[in-house]
Amino acid sequence: MRQQDFDLRRALHALRRHLLMVILCVAGAAGAAFVVSAVQTKQYEAEASLLFRDPKYDERVLGSQVVQPVDPAREAATNLELVSLDAVAEQAGDTLEMTPTEVNEAIQISTEGQSDVVSILASDPDPSRAAEIANVFAESYIRFRRSADRLKIRESRNLVEEDYDELSGEEQDSEAGKALLQQIGDLKTLEALQTGNAELVQEAQPPATASRPRTRLNVFLGALLGLITGIGIVLVRDRLDRRLRNPSEFEEALEVPTLSSLPEMSAGVFRADNAGEAHQFDLGLQMILARLKYFNVDRELKTILVTSAASGDGKSTVAWSLARSAANAGDKALVIEADLHRPSLAIEHQIQVSPGLSEVLSGQIQMTEACQNLTASVGQNGASRTTFSVLTSGELPPNPAELLASERMKSLILTAKDEVDLVVIDTPPVTLVADSLPLVRFVDGVVVVGRFAHTTLDEAERLRLELDRLEASVLGVVVNRSKRSDGYHTYGYRQYETPAAEVAEFGPIESFHENRRLR
């Protein structure tokens, strides 16, 4: 159920992000349907109705039925088949100066169930011509059916006349002869009375409006098709694009709460001339520290390992900024750069590369001598300062995994834990480099950094599985470079309401994890 809910929420987020694409598909398909309808030749439809009714002249004239009654459903089917005969189309075509094929293409014949009424619907670009075709076709059928019935009676009369002519004069004057003569007269009368058992009860009238193209219906169907197509494109694109684009997606993939969503910042965000952007970023950092304390009120949290699922997610920036923000809050903070493969803090912040962590772990220098004290903030009068300490990676060693897994590294973390209020350790991505795996056992908790629209679902799930195998105490996820479109700032309050409510209900962070798994 959790995966289904996640997929549904992700699909809804994708539709919201690409709403413009869906709208364009709807508008494009509806516009195309309108254009196609506009260039189509208008067709007008006129309808004539034939009523099939037996006047029973055979009973009146002969005193008995010549044709036995049949099943109503069968009779209706027979009537429809008779009207559809090619002979009728040929007769109508002679009058209309059309070929039988053209007549059949212009005519639609239908009946309702066992009804005795047959509808003849004719279509043509000219409304008057459509009415003419329907009426001529109906009249042609009546003539065809009347001629067929008269021919049948005439054949019967001819047989009776032959029998009468074969009689002698004396036999013709007998009662039998007189009966045959009477029968001949009755058949003549019945032949003259034949109507074909069909009559035109509703003549077709020229229609006032065209029946085709149905522009409104076509536009609606086009818009519906465009909507389905647009949604399909978005969902397929989202299925192929596995990048996480919402804090809730990070939570579901990593099964941890969101500590904060940090806004995208430009280069030099902490310059004095960029105070507004730096303040916004600091709000997110303060939220992280506040939530870490709130989530972990029952235990001490002094050493934090910061990692990510992939390179480029901004974990080093988050680690540096957390130490700086803690110092601004009045705590003694130290950030340790434990990425001995691709260190970036020294170059990015223009500080000394060495001596650093590698020199300390190799016994070349003491930690206190390698740490660099940097300014976190300056008071308004320029005199009061807050500082935090940085231990860079130092020169890149040939054996980084051995150094980080050594007892000296464990002792360094324990020593730093005793001397400062918060130790933040920047490590390479856990899923890419195994160096940081031993450090998980030495710290109080792990903070995962994910990058908005950069970290993929597969990367996040691999990281979660790896941390689960290490039995790491994962504190939460920081969504870096987040872009929210709900009208609230990425560092504001709305995005934190759900996790805060959940933690308040289920207690500390361990209960939060357990509850999410149960869900």
Side-chain angles (χ1 to χ4, degrees):
M1 182 62 69
R2 184 193 66 80
Q3 184 63 36
Q4 293 176 352
D5 293 342
F6 174 68
D7 291 340
L8 178 59
R9 283 197 294 270
R10 182 177 174 87
L12 293 177
H13 288 313
L15 290 174
R16 186 176 66 177
R17 287 197 315 273
H18 300 291
L19 180 61
L20 179 59
M21 178 185 294
V22 176
I23 293 176
L24 289 177
C25 287
V26 172
F34 177 80
V35 172
V36 171
S37 299
V39 298
Q40 284 183 344
T41 302
K42 291 184 178 181
Q43 292 289 327
Y44 294 84
E45 291 183 348
E47 183 178 14
S49 297
L50 285 174
L51 174 63
F52 287 84
R53 181 172 56 188
D54 185 1
K56 300 186 183 302
Y57 290 134
D58 52 349
E59 292 184 8
R60 298 178 187 177
V61 175
L62 303 178
S64 63
Q65 279 189 312
V66 176
V67 180
Q68 297 298 318
V70 296
D71 178 70
R74 182 178 178 184
E75 185 175 8
T78 302
N79 293 336
L80 184 62
E81 185 175 354
L82 289 173
V83 177
S84 304
L85 289 175
D86 290 338
V88 179
E90 290 178 2
Q91 289 190 13
D94 293 339
T95 304
L96 296 169
E97 297 182 353
M98 298 170 63
T99 66
T101 301
E102 292 174 339
V103 173
N104 286 329
E105 290 177 351
I107 290 293
Q108 291 183 10
I109 304 170
S110 62
T111 184
E112 293 293 336
Q114 301 179 9
S115 172
D116 293 329
V117 178
V118 171
S119 297
I120 300 173
L121 187 68
S123 60
D124 193 85
D126 184 349
S128 298
R129 179 67 170 173
E132 181 185 9
I133 293 173
N135 292 328
V136 168
F137 190 91
E139 292 167 355
S140 297
Y141 172 76
I142 294 174
R143 288 197 304 271
F144 169 79
R145 182 67 181 271
R146 184 171 59 233
S147 298
D149 290 350
R150 287 179 176 178
L151 178 61
K152 184 177 181 180
I153 296 173
R154 187 180 303 116
E155 290 175 351
S156 299
R157 179 171 59 83
N158 290 337
L159 292 175
V160 176
E161 287 179 345
E162 289 178 1
D163 292 341
Y164 180 80
D165 291 339
E166 292 177 356
L167 297 177
S168 63
E170 183 179 349
E171 290 174 333
Q172 289 180 351
D173 292 334
S174 66
E175 292 297 328
K178 292 180 180 179
L180 288 176
L181 190 60
Q182 178 64 39
Q183 190 175 3
I184 293 172
D186 292 342
L187 288 173
K188 287 183 178 180
T189 303
L190 183 61
E191 179 183 351
L193 293 176
Q194 288 304 305
T195 63
N197 294 346
E199 57 182 298
L200 183 61
V201 293
Q202 177 181 307
E203 287 190 356
Q205 301 297 327
T209 58
S211 57
R212 292 193 306 271
R214 300 177 180 177
T215 304
R216 291 184 180 181
L217 178 61
N218 292 343
V219 170
F220 171 76
L221 294 178
L224 181 60
L225 179 61
L227 177 64
I228 296 174
T229 303
I231 292 176
I233 292 174
V234 170
L235 295 182
V236 170
R237 178 178 177 179
D238 181 70
R239 179 63 64 177
L240 298 176
D241 184 1
R242 305 280 284 176
R243 292 177 292 177
L244 302 178
R245 299 177 180 273
N246 190 277
S248 63
E249 294 181 3
F250 284 91
E251 288 186 0
E252 294 288 351
L254 294 166
E255 295 185 356
V256 295
T258 301
L259 298 174
S260 180
S261 292
L262 300 177
E264 185 173 9
M265 61 180 185
S266 59
V269 69
F270 295 116
R271 296 196 314 261
D273 61 349
N274 203 17
E277 191 174 354
H279 176 67
Q280 295 177 4
F281 192 79
D282 276 338
L283 288 176
L285 297 172
Q286 292 168 17
M287 180 62 71
I288 297 174
L289 295 174
R291 306 199 102 204
L292 288 177
K293 294 179 181 179
Y294 181 73
F295 287 155
N296 302 275
V297 294
D298 297 332
R299 62 170 175 155
E300 185 180 43
L301 185 64
K302 297 189 66 176
T303 54
I304 298 175
L305 183 146
V306 179
T307 189
S308 62
S311 59
D313 289 342
K315 58 174 182 55
S316 297
T317 300
V318 172
W320 171 283
S321 302
L322 279 177
R324 176 182 172 277
S325 184
N328 285 332
D331 293 333
K332 295 180 64 177
L334 167 65
V335 56
I336 300 175
E337 186 176 31
D339 188 346
L340 302 183
H341 290 270
R342 297 178 60 184
S344 60
L345 294 183
I347 296 177
E348 183 176 351
H349 299 282
Q350 299 180 357
I351 58 178
Q352 294 180 357
V353 176
S354 61
L357 179 62
S358 60
E359 286 78 12
V360 174
L361 295 180
S362 61
Q364 301 177 37
I365 194 173
Q366 296 297 316
M367 181 182 69
T368 54
E369 298 174 328
C371 287
Q372 303 178 55
N373 294 324
L374 303 178
T375 300
S377 64
V378 181
Q380 293 182 352
N381 55 9
S384 61
R385 296 171 178 264
T386 58
T387 61
F388 67 103
S389 300
V390 179
L391 180 59
T392 59
S393 63
E395 297 296 332
L396 299 184
N399 57 341
E402 295 179 8
L403 290 179
L404 294 178
S406 65
E407 286 296 322
R408 284 194 177 185
M409 184 64 190
K410 179 179 180 181
S411 177
L412 182 148
I413 294 176
L414 294 176
T415 300
K417 183 177 180 180
D418 293 336
E419 294 182 358
V420 300
D421 299 311
L422 179 65
V423 180
V424 183
I425 304 175
D426 174 31
T427 67
V430 171
T431 55
L432 299 182
V433 181
D435 301 358
S436 56
L437 299 183
L439 299 180
V440 174
R441 305 193 308 268
F442 304 156
V443 298
D444 299 327
V446 177
V447 170
V448 176
V449 176
R451 180 176 169 184
F452 176 88
H454 182 271
T455 303
T456 66
L457 176 60
D458 299 326
E459 291 172 344
E461 290 180 342
R462 285 199 301 269
L463 176 60
R464 174 176 57 80
L465 292 175
E466 188 65 39
L467 293 175
D468 287 344
R469 281 194 290 266
L470 296 171
E471 297 182 354
S473 175
V474 184
L475 305 173
V477 59
V478 176
V479 181
N480 194 27
R481 298 191 181 183
S482 178
K483 296 179 180 179
R484 297 293 297 273
S485 58
D486 54 8
Y488 290 77
H489 294 299
T490 57
Y491 51 88
Y493 300 106
R494 178 171 178 173
Q495 66 194 68
Y496 309 116
E497 291 175 357
T498 300
E502 292 182 0
V503 174
E505 178 181 356
F506 299 107
I509 191 71
E510 291 82 0
S511 299
F512 179 88
H513 295 328
E514 182 63 25
N515 177 69
R516 293 194 69 85
R517 290 186 174 91
L518 290 176
R519 288 185 180 179

